[in-house]
Each structure stands twice: as C-alpha cells, then as structure tokens.
Amino acid sequence: MNERLKTVTKALQDTEFIDIINELINNDKVKEMENYRQHYDISTFEHCLNVSYISYKICKLLKWDYKSMARAAMLHDLFLYDWRESKKKLNLEGYHAFVHPKIALKNAEETFELNKKEKDIILKHMWPVTFSLPKYKESYLITFVDKYSAIQESIGYYKKQMEAKRLYRYAYIFLCLIFLGKII
C-alpha cells in the first residue's frame, strides 16, 4: 500500500479525527472537492484530507490546537475549480497560487463558522508564496505539511507510472517469447 493510501486509511480509522472534521467532510460543498484534481491523480478532497490528518497528528503531538488545525487544513483548498484552466477563463484576479487561499477562505466562511486561527491557517497556507506572515504557529505548520503532501502525492504518481511501464515491458517480453515459441 502506498504512503498516501496509508495516510487516508489511518485518518478514516481515527475516530477522534473524524469527529473533529465530520461536519466538514459530510458537507456538499466540501464533497464537491472530489470533482477537482489537485496533484496528478489526487482529488482536492483527498489532498486536503491528507494535509488535515498529518497536521492534526503533528499538532496533537506538540500539544498545539489540533482541532482548529484539522478543520482549517480540511478547508485550505476549498476553491472549487480546476486550477489548470487559464486565469482568464476562470475570471481570477491573479494567478491561482496567489488567489486561491482567499477564495478557499471565502467559500469556507460562507458555509462554516470559523475561528480566527482557522481563518489564518486557510488564508496563509501558501506562505511564503503569498507574502502575508502567518499569525499562528499552526499557520506556519500547514505551509510545510501542504508542501510535504504535494511532494508525497507527486512521487506516488510517478512511482505508479514507472511500475506500469515496467509491467508493460515484461508483458511485451512475455508476448514476444510466446510468439517466438510458436514460430520455432
């Protein structure tokens, strides 16, 4: 089982974590994130779940505000569009990397009651790409976990691609041997 699936499986089995984000993951607007790809074959929903669970575990270990972190991390990419489309087509007021935290925060605020820390975590998760400094240690943490998760998801995708190519190569060799056996 790859690392991404291990994280998702652990997250879904952690009843305390699920209790914290249950209202969020059962919301139709949040479920809509399943319709958009984040990194390669990962949906935005799954990416946010990964970031949320890893952040939650770290905050719990450090005795930080793990509840606000779990909730905000689950909502940090609630932008609800395919970011691969052009900014002109999407009618964005800037490039996705710079504007999506504001869009995610706006969408989250329209749907859920958020505390100040949750708002800051969502809004500042792209620091240092976006220039506003985070106010809370949890807001700094999500910047690292988000990047870690993106790298993990990208590596997982490329590993699958390499394994598939290796499998095809062996299948090709096998078929060639069968073909040669029939000719000889």
Side-chain angles (χ1 to χ4, degrees):
M1 184 182 296
N2 69 33
E3 289 303 311
R4 184 181 96 226
L5 289 177
K6 285 181 189 175
T7 302
V8 170
T9 302
K10 286 179 185 177
L12 296 175
Q13 293 173 347
D14 189 324
T15 55
E16 181 182 29
F17 173 70
I18 294 299
D19 285 346
I20 294 167
I21 65 163
N22 193 45
E23 169 197 14
L24 310 178
I25 62 175
N26 287 306
N27 178 277
D28 288 338
K29 192 175 236 182
V30 174
K31 286 180 184 179
E32 196 177 323
M33 289 193 295
E34 293 173 348
N35 299 325
Y36 302 101
R37 279 185 311 127
Q38 181 70 356
H39 304 114
Y40 303 100
D41 60 345
I42 306 297
S43 72
T44 305
F45 181 92
E46 188 178 347
H47 167 72
C48 287
L49 184 64
N50 285 334
V51 172
S52 181
Y53 188 64
I54 293 166
S55 300
Y56 156 83
K57 292 298 280 185
I58 293 170
C59 284
K60 199 161 179 180
L61 182 71
L62 296 172
K63 298 183 181 358
W64 293 359
D65 185 356
Y66 60 89
K67 290 180 182 179
S68 291
M69 180 56 125
R71 287 175 47 84
M74 190 63 220
L75 301 171
H76 82 276
D77 279 337
L78 188 63
F79 48 81
L80 304 176
Y81 58 82
D82 183 353
W83 62 267
R84 289 161 187 79
E85 300 284 338
S86 72
K87 74 175 191 169
K88 187 175 182 179
K89 183 178 179 182
L90 292 168
N91 201 24
L92 297 178
E93 295 179 14
Y95 291 105
H96 170 75
F98 298 101
V99 300
H100 84 269
K102 292 177 187 172
I103 296 168
L105 178 60
K106 179 181 173 284
N107 288 339
E109 286 180 314
E110 289 173 354
T111 312
F112 304 103
E113 188 78 29
L114 302 174
N115 64 37
K116 289 179 182 180
K117 189 178 289 185
E118 290 168 343
K119 291 176 186 180
D120 193 68
I121 292 168
I122 295 168
L123 190 59
K124 311 288 178 60
H125 82 271
M126 286 298 290
W127 181 83
V129 174
T130 53
F131 302 113
S132 298
L133 287 173
K135 292 180 184 174
Y136 304 96
K137 55 192 171 208
E138 293 86 354
S139 302
Y140 281 100
L141 178 62
I142 195 172
T143 66
F144 298 108
V145 175
D146 188 37
K147 280 45 166 191
Y148 165 78
S149 185
I151 291 167
Q152 182 186 42
E153 292 161 6
S154 299
I155 289 171
Y157 172 80
Y158 283 114
K159 279 175 70 177
K160 278 196 293 187
Q161 295 300 324
M162 289 175 58
E163 288 167 5
K165 285 180 182 178
R166 193 174 306 132
L167 179 64
Y168 288 128
R169 189 175 335 139
Y170 292 129
Y172 177 75
I173 292 169
F174 180 71
L175 289 173
C176 287
L177 290 173
I178 290 172
F179 181 74
L180 285 174
K182 289 186 177 191
I183 293 176
I184 299 177

